[in-house]
């Protein structure tokens, strides 16, 4: 069973704007986490916080290619997954962003629910990113109620 989750969006902004929104601690709070401990960079361990949910996660940035790719791992040792964000600049005003998350365990009895949850999370995150970058909307993030 392939447990990789993939989500793809078109964002009407150049790839540099999309890349910066993700890696910049000054921008990430407008669409995703409340805070990022520092600017993302290859080899760095970053602390991301959701103040609204009293949650914190640490990621390890495994690979970065400016304006093209960000790969990181997150989760506990027994449930660590790898996320790869690919940016394809279609032209100077359009970027395709693709998020792939892999590493979910196929033998987990909750695998279907986890895959659906991750897919929903990425669709929501990219929707917030699109709203922020294209229209300046920064009030969508942290709107999910549990």
């Amino acid at each position: 069973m392939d447990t990789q989750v993939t989500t793809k969006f078109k964002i009407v902004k150049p790839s540099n704007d999309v890349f910066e929104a993700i890696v910049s601690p000054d921008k990430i709070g407008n669409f995703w986490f409340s805070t990022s401990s520092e600017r993302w960079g290859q080899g760095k361990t970053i602390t991301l916080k959701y103040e609204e949910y009293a949650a914190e996660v640490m990621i390890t940035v495994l690979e970065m290619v400016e304006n093209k790719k960000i790969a990181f791992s997150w989760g506990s040792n027994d449930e660590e997954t790898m996320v790869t964000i690919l940016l394809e600049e279609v032209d100077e005003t359009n970027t395709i962003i693709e998020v792939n998350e892999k590493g979910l365990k196929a033998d987990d009895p909750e695998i279907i629910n986890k895959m659906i949850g991750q897919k929903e999370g990425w669709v929501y995150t990219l929707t917030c990113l699109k709203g922020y970058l294209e229209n300046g909307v920064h009030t969508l993030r942290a709107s999910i109620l549990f």
Side-chain angles (χ1 to χ4, degrees):
M1 171 186 218
D2 180 8
T3 62
Q4 179 171 287
V5 174
T6 300
T7 305
K8 241 175 156 171
F9 265 61
K10 178 177 131 186
I11 298 180
V12 184
K13 286 291 179 181
S15 62
N16 178 261
D17 290 2
V18 179
F19 184 84
E20 283 300 313
I22 296 166
V23 303
S24 171
D26 297 330
K27 296 181 180 181
I28 198 168
N30 289 300
F31 75 95
W32 194 1
F33 290 92
S34 307
T35 62
S36 176
S37 60
E38 62 182 296
R39 183 176 177 80
W40 296 23
Q42 189 165 322
K44 290 185 177 181
T45 298
I46 309 293
T47 302
L48 303 168
K49 292 182 182 179
Y50 267 126
E51 293 169 5
E52 299 84 354
Y53 305 125
E56 181 177 295
V57 64
M58 294 180 75
I59 67 164
T60 301
V61 181
L62 304 170
E63 183 180 358
M64 269 184 46
V65 178
E66 191 167 344
N67 303 331
K68 295 188 180 301
K69 182 178 184 178
I70 304 163
F72 64 89
S73 62
W74 64 354
S76 61
N77 288 339
D78 59 331
E79 292 195 9
E80 183 179 60
T81 60
M82 183 174 157
V83 175
T84 302
I85 300 171
L86 300 171
L87 303 174
E88 176 191 342
E89 190 168 82
V90 178
D91 56 38
E92 59 276 349
T93 59
N94 291 286
T95 301
I96 303 297
I97 182 169
E98 179 177 328
V99 178
N100 297 294
E101 185 166 4
K102 64 181 182 179
L104 297 165
K105 295 179 176 46
D107 61 351
D108 184 336
E110 288 296 311
I111 187 61
I112 300 299
N113 289 332
K114 286 180 180 178
M115 289 178 72
I116 290 170
Q118 291 309 102
K119 178 71 170 186
E120 287 176 345
W122 286 116
V123 168
Y124 180 69
T125 299
L126 295 185
T127 300
C128 293
L129 175 62
K130 184 174 180 69
Y132 166 60
L133 288 176
E134 292 182 6
N135 300 296
V137 176
H138 57 85
T139 55
L140 293 174
R141 63 166 293 285
S143 295
I144 292 180
L145 302 176
F146 296 101

